[in-house]
Amino acid sequence: MVEESAFWEWVAVEILRHSGIRVEELVELTHLSIRQYERPNGEVIALLVVAPSKSERERVIPMSAELFHAVAQIIRHQTRNGQAIPLVTRYDPHEKLWSEPMPFLFQRQLGTVRNVIAPHTILNMLARSCEEIAETAPAFVGTKFTPHDSRRLFATEIVNGGLPIHIGAALLGHLNLQTTQGYVAVFAEDIVKHYQEFLNHRRALLPEDEYVDVTPEEWAEFEEYCDKRKVELGNCARPYESSCQHEHACIRCPMLQVNPKMLPRLAEIEKDLVLRRKRTTEEQWFGEIEGIDMTLTFVRTKQADAARLTRRAPVSLGIPTTRPQSTCLCPGSCL
């Protein structure tokens, strides 16, 4: 029990400090949160996809070696019996709703019941550790550490490390309605490129023993997984070490990431579906029309998404300027 508790405390601290996510987002992570991204130069990057919490947009965090190592350890821990991560439900106290059964990463068995670890449990773990440290290190008496402290440290470190502020905002999910309009065209490649440069810069400044490397076995497993996800039209984005849940019906699958180079092939598929629908209507095979229409909808949606990638260009944010100092002497506050 002590070893199990220590494991969850360790992975929680590692993920919080290397991702900057909120504790609510931490316990909401699932097996589906682990994706891959292939850069234009062919390099494959592991991504952590964070579902909306306080913000209303999903965001991706390129995983550093330390973050990937912690996530990989959770998956190994949860699948050590050769089985898939169990599907469990989680109660959201804010929404006051139960989730659908999902492969949550932060779940554990207590007695005969398997539950998702609650945010306050993570807080209690950290508080207990602070007290234990203070017993042998008097300088830490009264020190409190919360999950949100990791988020503040992460934000401070990336800004001081030279990461562009809008990339830092995208990583942290700090985009409000006004700034979202200016940053909406910041694609994953922009985030990945700058964040990788930041990680390399940070590693060069701090002692080598501050960091761990992904083991060859862990990365070999991930690369093998990525190779098996390459399909005709692009890449399958289903998460690391998970099976296909859509019977390989890729055109209809939301996990299919279409390569823009395959737009001509999508056009061929659309043309074939239109001809099939025409014949289906003529032959009055009404049982097939609905299915063809649904597939056509997916094809056209994926065409639009792929075409949008080909048009995406850098966004000019302009050069910051200082606001002229006001000379108003009125006692009120001027707008």
Side-chain angles (χ1 to χ4, degrees):
M1 184 64 182
V2 174
E3 182 179 350
E4 179 79 0
S5 180
F7 170 79
W8 288 114
E9 185 173 346
W10 172 74
V11 292
V13 170
E14 286 295 286
I15 294 176
L16 286 169
R17 77 187 187 98
H18 290 298
S19 67
I21 63 176
R22 304 176 179 92
V23 67
E24 294 84 1
E25 295 168 336
L26 175 75
V27 298
E28 290 172 0
L29 292 176
T30 72
H31 208 165
L32 305 176
S33 303
I34 307 165
R35 312 266 182 90
Q36 91 279 5
Y37 171 72
E38 184 174 350
R39 300 184 64 186
N41 63 4
E43 180 185 6
V44 176
I45 301 295
L47 300 178
L48 187 67
V49 180
V50 182
S53 179
K54 288 187 176 180
S55 65
E56 292 300 323
R57 57 179 291 168
E58 185 178 81
R59 68 186 190 276
V60 297
I61 299 174
M63 286 198 266
S64 63
E66 298 80 17
L67 180 55
F68 183 87
H69 176 70
V71 171
Q73 290 304 310
I74 294 180
I75 293 175
R76 286 187 171 183
H77 183 80
Q78 297 287 23
T79 59
R80 59 190 182 277
N81 296 324
Q83 299 178 343
I85 296 179
L87 302 180
V88 296
T89 58
R90 174 183 177 274
Y91 183 72
D92 190 323
H94 299 292
E95 299 290 338
K96 301 189 184 304
L97 293 172
W98 285 92
S99 71
E100 295 293 326
M102 299 182 70
F104 287 101
L105 296 183
F106 279 80
Q107 59 171 282
R108 60 179 178 175
Q109 187 87 21
L110 292 178
T112 59
V113 180
R114 177 171 285 273
N115 287 319
V116 179
I117 298 176
H120 69 264
T121 301
I122 304 294
L123 270 74
N124 292 338
M125 286 180 178
L126 296 180
R128 185 174 60 251
S129 289
C130 288
E131 293 174 356
E132 292 175 353
I133 292 172
E135 291 176 0
T136 56
F140 289 91
V141 173
T143 299
K144 302 294 183 182
F145 188 82
T146 68
H148 208 76
D149 290 327
S150 291
R151 184 169 169 82
R152 295 189 186 97
L153 291 171
F154 180 83
T156 302
E157 190 172 27
I158 59 178
V159 172
N160 290 345
L163 197 68
I165 189 65
H166 66 288
I167 301 298
L171 288 168
L172 291 162
H174 275 166
L175 303 182
N176 57 37
L177 292 177
Q178 287 73 30
T179 55
T180 300
Q181 298 302 318
Y183 303 139
V184 70
V186 177
F187 186 52
E189 169 59 18
D190 198 14
I191 294 176
V192 169
K193 174 178 178 292
H194 286 90
Y195 194 63
Q196 287 294 104
E197 291 174 354
F198 160 73
L199 288 175
N200 293 334
H201 175 69
R202 187 176 67 177
R203 274 182 176 262
L205 295 177
L206 297 179
E208 291 185 4
D209 56 6
E210 283 282 323
Y211 299 98
V212 298
D213 288 320
V214 176
T215 65
E217 294 78 13
E218 289 171 346
W219 195 250
E221 290 175 5
F222 186 69
E223 285 189 324
E224 180 182 2
Y225 147 77
C226 292
D227 288 339
K228 292 180 179 178
R229 298 301 181 264
K230 294 178 181 178
V231 294
E232 178 194 8
L233 295 172
N235 288 300
C236 174
R238 70 180 186 268
Y240 173 55
E241 289 294 343
S242 66
S243 58
C244 178
Q245 299 180 357
H246 302 95
E247 299 179 351
H248 301 280
C250 297
I251 286 294
R252 293 189 180 189
C253 180
M255 294 296 178
L256 174 63
Q257 296 177 333
V258 176
N259 187 329
K261 295 179 181 179
M262 298 304 294
L263 278 171
R265 175 61 179 144
L266 279 179
E268 293 176 5
I269 294 174
E270 181 187 22
K271 182 179 179 180
D272 180 63
L273 287 169
V274 170
L275 292 175
R276 283 177 55 194
R277 192 187 190 288
K278 181 179 178 182
R279 185 182 177 189
T280 300
T281 304
E282 292 172 351
E283 299 291 342
Q284 296 186 350
W285 298 333
F286 299 120
E288 294 187 13
I289 292 178
E290 183 179 355
I292 293 175
D293 285 344
M294 183 181 296
T295 304
L296 268 171
T297 300
F298 278 99
V299 167
R300 287 163 180 165
T301 300
K302 293 186 187 302
Q303 280 178 318
D305 291 341
R308 192 177 301 116
L309 293 180
T310 64
R311 298 192 300 268
R312 185 170 270 128
V315 176
S316 174
L317 299 180
I319 299 175
T321 59
T322 58
R323 181 178 297 177
Q325 185 174 359
S326 174
T327 57
C328 177
L329 299 178
C330 64
S333 59
C334 296
L335 299 178

